[in-house]
Amino acid sequence: GPVRGLIWATLIGYLFLPEDYGFDLPGLPSYDKISAISLSVVLGILLTRDQILPAPEVRDRAFQKTVTFLVTGAFLCLVVTIFLNRDPLMRFGVFQQGHSVRDLISMGSGMLIALVPFLFARRVLATPEARKELLRALVILGLVYSFLVLFERRMSPQLHLWVYGIQHDAWIQHLRGGGFRPMVFLTHGLAIGFFLFFTVMAAFAMAFSETGKQRVLYLLAGTWLLLVLALSRNLGALMITMALVPALVFLSRKGLLLVATAVVVIFVSYPALRQSNVLPIERFVSFVASISEDRASSFEFRLRHEDGLLTRGLERPMFGWGGWGRSRVINERGEDVSVTDGLWVIRLGQNGWLGYFTYFGLLFVPLLFLWRYRHMTPVAAGLLLMVTGNLIYIIPNASLGPLSWLVLGALTAHVQYASRGDQARAPARDPPPERRTVSTRFPISGERPAPVSNRRSDSLSLRR
């Protein structure tokens, strides 16, 4: 069916299709892992569209309009960026071509392909049961993948070569501390840490949404996945997980939203803070060095390149430089010396501030709109913290693929659609004093009180 089909097609394609492999298409993005996932999802939804349940009532039309505005704005900013960068560049003897209408088709279709899991998840995963299905699938595939991760930790990243005959370009980067950091079938070992972070959060969120034997099984699964994450040599993902799992367990709804809002504020202001040298970067590097000298030197290397890319990007601050490497740093010998890791600096350099806010606004706007509602289920809390961790992770890394967009679409569906058990279909506010005869609070499980069937009682109540 469409719910499980969307979830499993996206996750299996993301976890098991080959990296660094594709077919170049004239005037279009190459047909690779991302394109294969999106095309299969589109075809599958078209074939099963008659099985998609009617959408619940929209409980916040302001949020719905905001998301539509951001999606539209991201595409419009891309159009403006291309038309403002039609001029060719000559930098230190290196010629960089300008953009044309052909680039508009290629880059626009590339963005649309990337957003397919989000756009469909926003509609197909509109019910709480569908969102639980997503977390359940993450836990199951996380358990399967954990054994492949442990195998490569011992035997080195070889599965991609053995299965597809292709070796990752970044293989040498995965020699860590006398051992290996696994990659399996993902683009980098950092992506393994990112995926395991999602599975740990999914397992603990499901544990708090279930009871009895099911809760125990999910707690055991979460503990096992956390152990595998610790063994995968992903310090950044482990630190984020160790910070957000206790938040999920111990914090109230307001506490979770405060954590998410703080991360949003840091993410939005991070480019300006980096430019003004306000952040205590040196202290953080010293802290990382106390754990691992290799990680500290790698972190410093990234920061040094970020400074150059940020300076280059802000030469055209509103709409950026576009593609063809125009936003990258070239030295006086005509050499491209850029190393682009953080997705934020890539997007800022290519699309400017307006493209930055419209694109990443899709990630943080659902977190802010959750303040408008009083209740939050464990599944919604898990999705909230997954997206929060994703925001942290894309500051040093380019981790925003099909998995991220699928989870973000599920969270967007939770905020957009009213589900059974919502206290109201509009933003939470205190009812007028004269109507406080009936409680509007419902338990977290989503069950409404049984309706009163006695007509005489109803009429008396209305008369009072």
Side-chain angles (χ1 to χ4, degrees):
V3 172
R4 290 184 176 177
L6 169 65
I7 294 169
W8 285 85
T10 303
L11 294 181
I12 290 177
Y14 173 72
L15 294 174
F16 293 101
L17 287 180
E19 293 284 350
D20 302 328
Y21 183 77
F23 302 95
D24 290 330
L25 303 175
L28 294 172
S30 62
Y31 184 79
D32 55 8
K33 170 188 277 195
I34 307 300
S35 302
I37 293 171
S38 296
L39 180 60
S40 67
V41 166
V42 171
L43 292 177
I45 294 296
L46 289 177
L47 292 172
T48 60
R49 62 185 182 275
D50 57 329
Q51 300 178 37
I52 299 176
L53 297 176
E57 185 176 346
V58 176
R59 67 174 173 180
D60 196 334
R61 298 197 176 277
F63 174 73
Q64 184 184 37
K65 293 177 180 178
T66 302
V67 173
T68 303
F69 170 79
L70 290 172
V71 173
T72 307
F75 282 98
L76 290 178
C77 286
L78 178 62
V79 173
V80 176
T81 295
I82 290 174
F83 278 97
L84 291 179
N85 285 277
R86 290 177 293 175
D87 54 314
L89 301 177
M90 180 65 72
R91 294 194 288 162
F92 303 110
V94 177
F95 176 78
Q96 293 177 312
Q97 68 184 71
H99 285 294
S100 64
V101 176
R102 181 177 177 178
D103 297 319
L104 176 61
I105 298 173
S106 177
M107 296 172 70
S109 57
M111 182 182 292
L112 181 61
I113 287 171
L115 290 177
V116 161
F118 166 76
L119 297 174
F120 281 103
R122 178 186 172 191
R123 171 61 185 85
V124 176
L125 305 184
T127 62
E129 293 76 15
R131 294 188 286 272
K132 288 182 75 172
E133 196 71 41
L134 170 61
L135 298 194
R136 189 177 297 113
L138 279 171
V139 175
I140 294 171
L141 286 172
L143 293 174
V144 172
Y145 228 62
S146 65
F147 296 101
L148 304 180
V149 170
L150 294 177
F151 174 82
E152 284 203 344
R153 186 187 185 278
R154 178 66 181 87
M155 303 299 294
S156 80
Q158 295 289 342
L159 289 173
H160 197 281
L161 177 63
W162 293 352
V163 175
Y164 292 110
I166 305 170
Q167 185 59 275
H168 281 299
D169 294 334
W171 191 91
I172 194 65
Q173 299 178 17
H174 294 76
L175 298 173
R176 291 284 181 179
F180 303 98
R181 181 163 62 184
M183 288 192 293
V184 195
F185 301 111
L186 300 185
T187 182
H188 198 278
L190 295 170
I192 289 289
F194 177 68
F195 169 67
L196 290 174
F197 156 70
F198 267 44
T199 62
V200 172
M201 299 305 301
F204 282 101
M206 286 298 293
F208 286 100
S209 65
E210 301 289 349
T211 58
K213 182 180 178 181
Q214 290 292 320
R215 170 172 290 185
V216 174
L217 292 176
Y218 279 116
L219 286 174
L220 291 175
T223 304
W224 168 255
L225 291 168
L226 183 59
L227 175 62
V228 174
L229 173 58
L231 295 173
S232 69
R233 302 178 187 272
N234 278 282
L235 180 60
L238 181 62
M239 292 173 64
I240 295 172
T241 307
M242 296 303 293
L244 295 185
V245 168
L248 177 65
V249 174
F250 297 110
L251 291 185
S252 64
R253 166 197 158 275
K254 186 176 181 180
L256 293 176
L257 290 175
L258 285 173
V259 170
T261 303
V263 171
V264 169
V265 171
I266 293 172
F267 180 81
V268 170
S269 59
Y270 184 77
L273 295 175
R274 287 283 289 113
Q275 189 181 20
S276 59
N277 295 320
V278 173
L279 294 175
I281 297 295
E282 294 182 359
R283 293 182 182 178
F284 187 75
V285 171
S286 300
F287 169 72
V288 176
S290 65
I291 301 174
S292 170
E293 290 288 345
D294 291 340
R295 306 296 173 87
S297 61
S298 174
F299 187 63
E300 279 188 299
F301 178 80
R302 295 184 187 191
L303 293 175
R304 187 167 63 251
H305 284 277
E306 274 184 5
D307 290 336
L309 290 166
L310 183 58
T311 302
R312 172 66 179 170
L314 293 178
E315 292 177 12
R316 290 191 177 180
M318 295 305 294
F319 292 98
W321 290 96
W324 298 115
R326 297 160 62 93
S327 62
R328 299 175 70 84
V329 178
I330 296 177
N331 64 16
E332 296 178 354
R333 296 189 296 274
E335 299 170 340
D336 186 341
V337 294
S338 299
V339 177
T340 51
D341 285 317
L343 185 60
W344 70 271
V345 76
I346 298 173
R347 183 61 58 176
L348 184 64
Q350 292 182 352
N351 301 103
W353 279 110
L354 290 179
Y356 179 89
F357 280 112
T358 53
Y359 190 76
F360 290 121
L362 293 171
L363 273 78
F364 59 75
V365 161
L367 310 184
L368 301 180
F369 268 82
L370 279 171
W371 279 103
R372 296 159 66 91
Y373 307 102
R374 286 201 182 100
H375 297 295
M376 184 182 297
T377 64
V379 171
L383 293 171
L384 166 69
L385 292 180
M386 287 182 201
V387 177
T388 302
N390 200 161
L391 282 173
I392 301 172
Y393 214 67
I394 60 179
I395 292 178
N397 306 301
S399 300
L400 195 61
L403 172 61
S404 301
W405 288 117
L406 184 68
V407 170
L408 178 64
L411 181 64
T412 303
H414 167 76
V415 181
Q416 178 171 317
Y417 292 108
S419 57
R420 188 167 177 259
D422 286 338
Q423 61 153 1
R425 294 185 177 91
R429 54 175 62 91
D430 290 334
E434 66 273 14
R435 295 189 180 181
R436 289 187 181 176
T437 56
V438 179
S439 172
T440 57
R441 294 179 181 270
F442 302 109
I444 201 168
S445 62
E447 294 297 328
R448 290 182 180 271
V452 179
S453 59
N454 190 317
R455 291 182 175 272
R456 177 184 172 87
S457 307
D458 290 346
S459 60
L460 288 175
S461 176
L462 290 173
R463 211 173 293 132
R464 281 199 295 268

